[in-house]
Amino acid sequence: MKRKALNITVGILLVIIFGLWLFVFQVRRSEIALVTTFGNPTRTITNAGPYLKWPWPIQRVYTFDQRIQNFQPVLAETPTSDGKQLVATVYVGWQITDPKAFYQGFASRLVSEPEKASIASAEKILEGVVRNSIYNVIGNNPFSALISTDPSQFKMEAMEGEMLASAEEAVQTNNYGIELKYLGIQKLELPESSTSDVFKQMQSQRAILVSKIQRDGDTKANNIRTEANSERARLVADAEAQSKRIRGEAEAEVAQYYKVFEQNPELADFIFKLDALKTSLGKNSTLIFDSRTQPFDLLTTTNAAGKK
């Protein structure tokens, strides 16, 4: 009796499990799902959780990875607008945003594992779309926009934005159910035939830059030299003017003394002789002179009392 009850319980559990397997499906956080009824898309699910469905062949559930897919590399050899050949390696990040459009564009034609195989099919289509955007953008820009010593000519970031916008426009136009999240140039290479020409161009650009720097240096040196000469001339003129002023003031002061000396010439002569003696007689000086030579005649001059 107990064995029969156990068998019944196990049977009921198996029926429940089988029923759940037939009528319930789970959508993970990293997935989005599409439910088809007799092969036609009828329901899109973007939130994680358990959901009900009719068993196959009435309904079937397709789940797709909703995370950003990193697709690289996309290789493209293309000429620039000035005729230089470049090999560009580009990486792309994309995400499934519309499972219905994605299913109709890629998964509906696949029989074996459409969820996985559709990713590869989408990236194959996406590779062609991105390659066309590379051709268009690089072909409309000169070589210096990607490789240049002049920062004003370097436009790689702007060109990456143009490539992304061009590829996104093509994706939206064809309604692939995906969205491009980012696009960037990973590597730029030069074909061997173009390497020597590129080096010559870079050397020419460097020579032009060096010539410009030299011209700017010469101009600045001439300006500094001109300013220095002007400043020197100004300082010399100021010094000469100041010396003339001082000389004039001294001559005016001397003229005042001369007026006093004119009133008593003998006193003036006596004072000049005393100054001359002070100048010639220093400490511990020995002089041999003629007493008649001025100003030493002052030492032998008879005083008012008649003494020598």
Side-chain angles (χ1 to χ4, degrees):
M1 194 68 183
K2 291 182 180 180
R3 185 177 181 83
K4 184 177 181 181
L6 179 61
N7 292 336
I8 294 174
T9 303
V10 171
I12 293 173
L13 290 175
L14 291 175
V15 169
I16 293 174
I17 293 172
F18 184 72
L20 290 175
W21 180 74
L22 289 176
F23 293 94
V24 178
F25 66 96
Q26 175 75 23
V27 178
R28 298 183 179 89
R29 291 183 180 274
S30 60
E31 297 175 335
I32 54 177
L34 176 70
V35 179
T36 62
T37 303
F38 297 113
N40 297 316
T42 54
R43 185 164 44 135
T44 297
I45 300 172
T46 58
N47 296 323
Y51 295 91
L52 294 174
K53 70 175 182 67
W54 291 106
W56 186 85
I58 300 175
Q59 287 186 329
R60 183 173 178 178
V61 179
Y62 297 90
T63 57
F64 303 101
D65 193 342
Q66 195 182 20
R67 294 172 295 185
I68 297 176
Q69 307 293 322
N70 187 33
F71 175 46
Q72 62 176 343
V74 179
L75 296 176
E77 182 174 351
T78 178
T80 60
S81 61
D82 51 358
K84 300 294 189 300
Q85 288 292 129
L86 280 177
V87 178
T89 303
V90 175
Y91 60 90
V92 183
W94 64 280
Q95 183 180 35
I96 301 173
T97 55
D98 186 347
K100 180 179 179 180
F102 186 79
Y103 169 81
Q104 292 174 336
F106 302 104
S108 61
R109 298 189 298 269
L110 301 173
V111 178
S112 177
E113 296 187 274
E115 294 90 340
K116 296 181 180 179
S118 57
I119 298 293
S121 299
E123 290 185 343
K124 186 176 181 180
I125 297 295
L126 189 59
E127 182 177 1
V129 171
V130 173
R131 186 173 284 112
N132 288 334
S133 70
I134 295 172
Y135 291 151
N136 294 333
V137 175
I138 293 183
N140 291 329
N141 287 273
F143 180 79
S144 58
L146 289 166
I147 302 176
S148 177
T149 56
D150 186 356
S152 63
Q153 296 182 3
F154 189 72
K155 300 179 181 179
M156 181 178 291
E157 185 174 354
M159 293 174 65
E160 289 175 340
E162 292 180 18
M163 292 179 191
L164 177 60
S166 176
E168 179 64 20
E169 182 180 359
V171 167
Q172 296 301 325
T173 300
N174 290 278
N175 193 25
Y176 290 132
I178 62 178
E179 180 182 352
L180 299 185
K181 293 298 184 179
Y182 55 81
L183 182 149
I185 298 175
Q186 183 180 27
K187 184 169 58 175
L188 290 172
E189 297 178 288
L190 297 171
E192 187 176 355
S193 59
S194 302
T195 303
S196 59
D197 294 336
V198 172
F199 285 156
K200 289 180 181 179
Q201 181 179 0
M202 293 179 68
Q203 289 174 351
S204 176
Q205 291 178 347
R206 180 64 64 180
I208 294 173
L209 181 60
V210 169
S211 177
K212 180 179 181 299
I213 294 174
Q214 288 178 342
R215 288 197 304 271
D216 293 344
D218 292 339
T219 301
K220 290 181 180 180
N222 291 332
N223 292 337
I224 293 172
R225 193 178 294 111
T226 300
E227 292 177 0
N229 291 334
S230 299
E231 183 67 13
R232 183 186 64 180
R234 186 186 66 80
L235 293 175
V236 171
D238 291 344
E240 290 178 351
Q242 187 175 5
S243 67
K244 289 180 180 179
R245 180 181 59 80
I246 294 173
R247 189 180 298 111
E249 293 176 354
E251 290 176 353
E253 188 174 353
V254 169
Q256 296 292 330
Y257 286 110
Y258 281 157
K259 289 180 180 180
V260 175
F261 289 155
E262 287 176 357
Q263 296 175 5
N264 193 341
E266 294 180 357
L267 177 60
D269 184 59
F270 180 75
I271 292 174
F272 287 146
K273 289 181 178 181
L274 285 178
D275 290 338
L277 285 173
K278 290 180 180 179
T279 303
S280 60
L281 295 176
K283 293 182 179 180
N284 301 323
S285 298
T286 301
L287 297 176
I288 300 174
F289 57 86
D290 188 351
S291 62
R292 291 171 297 178
T293 302
Q294 294 184 359
F296 302 109
D297 61 340
L298 189 62
L299 300 176
T300 59
T301 302
T302 305
N303 55 20
K307 297 180 180 179
K308 290 188 178 181

